Amino acid sequence: MLLEIKDDFDLKKIALSGQCFRVKQFEDGTYRFVTGDFVVYIKEMGDRHFSVSCDMEEWNLVWRRYFDFDRCYSDIFGQEYKKHPFVDSAMEFGRGLRILRQNPWEMLVTFIISQRKSIPAIATAVETLSTQYGHCIPTDSEVLKSFPTPRELSAISKEDLEKCKLGYRASYVHDAIQEVLSGAVDLQSLYEKEDDYILESLQKVYGVGKKVANCVSLFAYGRTSCVPVDVWIARAIEEECGGESPFHLFGENAGIIQQYIFYYEKNH
């Protein structure tokens, strides 16, 4: 299917944005994205047109939401530009980024794993976990493994998780599995809750602090006022913004601005 996308949309920038860890780029410029049991292959063809492997029904059912196309990022760019000189530079550099709407369970585990790990190391751990415990997703060109559900991980031990390159985070992931399976943390119900309630609920999981909770809120629940502050963002605030956080200037779009700054700091 050939699809015209008029809004800001850059596959390479999204793949390198530090919010998704199972994206693969092929030599011909095609990018593969996986969410749940769905896989899509996308290639930019020029003039805002993209070759997409799925049909329009699947695009509208799954991928339109995944890529957050109900939100206009070019409008957001115009709305937030010229509020802060450094942020302007980050927005210009990162234009084309979007906040992906990913699976809450995958995001919870992924960002628990992410603590004190580089992006390649996070991707390796997430892929190892998927390969070992996920179920098969066949496509026309390859057979992938899904990210494992809490049920698929219900019988594994902390030692099993350690073998997936999780290190000390294995105990955190093990607790997350138990919390979700028991219903103590109901990830599905959080879609309907306020931001503060989501953040508080997620931090009930062992090893989940403010940064991880904000990541899950932003990248799974689409709460774009949530701002994860990691070492890159903290450094930007200190070195580029004179020690004063700029995020209060951007209200409901602060999390999107955070993503532009993170990408700028990592790749500029």
Side-chain angles (χ1 to χ4, degrees):
M1 179 177 72
L2 193 64
L3 194 66
E4 183 179 14
I5 298 175
K6 296 180 179 180
D7 197 15
D8 296 350
F9 185 61
D10 188 305
L11 291 166
K12 182 177 181 180
K13 290 178 181 179
I14 292 169
L16 295 175
S17 64
Q19 59 177 314
C20 50
F21 300 94
R22 301 197 69 199
V23 182
K24 181 176 180 179
Q25 180 184 7
F26 295 89
E27 289 185 1
D28 69 348
T30 298
Y31 286 82
R32 182 197 70 202
F33 293 84
V34 186
T35 185
D37 288 342
F38 293 93
V39 181
V40 71
Y41 299 86
I42 309 179
K43 182 179 180 181
E44 184 174 1
M45 306 303 289
D47 195 28
R48 294 183 176 269
H49 284 81
F50 294 79
S51 172
V52 181
S53 63
C54 66
D55 58 24
M56 186 57 74
E57 181 180 5
E58 182 179 312
W59 179 264
N60 287 329
L61 178 68
V62 178
W63 300 107
R64 181 178 179 84
R65 181 179 181 279
Y66 179 87
F67 289 113
D68 202 26
F69 278 116
D70 289 328
R71 198 188 318 266
C72 183
Y73 281 66
S74 61
D75 284 353
I76 291 169
F77 187 96
Q79 178 183 335
E80 305 298 358
Y81 196 65
K82 294 188 177 179
K83 289 185 176 180
H84 190 286
F86 167 68
V87 174
D88 287 351
S89 297
M91 290 173 68
E92 291 168 356
F93 185 76
R95 190 165 189 176
L97 287 171
R98 306 184 72 85
I99 301 297
L100 303 181
R101 296 292 299 276
Q102 301 177 79
N103 177 271
W105 167 247
E106 182 175 348
M107 289 299 94
L108 176 60
V109 174
T110 295
F111 282 101
I112 288 173
I113 292 171
S114 75
Q115 298 175 78
R116 302 193 180 204
K117 270 185 177 285
S118 67
I119 289 177
I122 300 164
T124 297
V126 169
E127 200 59 41
T128 301
L129 194 64
S130 300
T131 300
Q132 290 293 320
Y133 299 106
H135 55 269
C136 289
I137 311 173
T139 74
D140 291 340
S141 56
E142 58 183 332
V143 177
L144 304 174
K145 289 292 192 74
S146 68
F147 188 83
T149 65
R151 187 63 57 191
E152 288 170 330
L153 295 172
S154 61
I156 70 172
S157 65
K158 293 177 186 178
E159 291 71 26
D160 294 327
L161 290 169
E162 288 171 357
K163 293 175 184 176
C164 293
K165 305 182 185 299
L166 269 60
Y168 70 86
R169 306 158 199 83
S171 59
Y172 301 165
V173 173
H174 192 266
D175 183 70
I177 295 166
Q178 309 312 314
E179 290 286 308
V180 171
L181 285 173
S182 70
V185 175
D186 184 350
L187 295 175
Q188 192 63 33
S189 72
L190 296 182
Y191 281 107
E192 310 301 325
K193 303 299 184 181
E194 298 294 327
D195 292 2
D196 288 344
Y197 185 94
I198 296 174
L199 293 168
E200 182 180 336
S201 297
L202 292 170
Q203 289 180 76
K204 293 177 182 176
V205 178
Y206 180 47
V208 174
K210 289 182 179 179
K211 181 255 183 178
V212 171
N214 273 280
C215 285
V216 180
S217 298
L218 180 59
F219 301 130
Y221 296 105
R223 303 310 174 94
T224 53
S225 65
C226 292
V227 178
V229 178
D230 67 351
V231 293
W232 294 98
I233 298 300
R235 183 180 303 167
I237 291 171
E238 185 63 31
E239 297 180 1
E240 308 286 359
C241 304
E244 183 178 348
S245 171
F247 294 111
H248 66 282
L249 299 172
F250 302 100
E252 287 297 313
N253 294 322
I256 297 172
I257 299 303
Q258 175 271 344
Q259 198 63 15
Y260 287 128
I261 293 174
F262 177 86
Y263 181 80
Y264 181 92
E265 289 294 297
K266 286 281 289 180
N267 297 288
H268 185 253

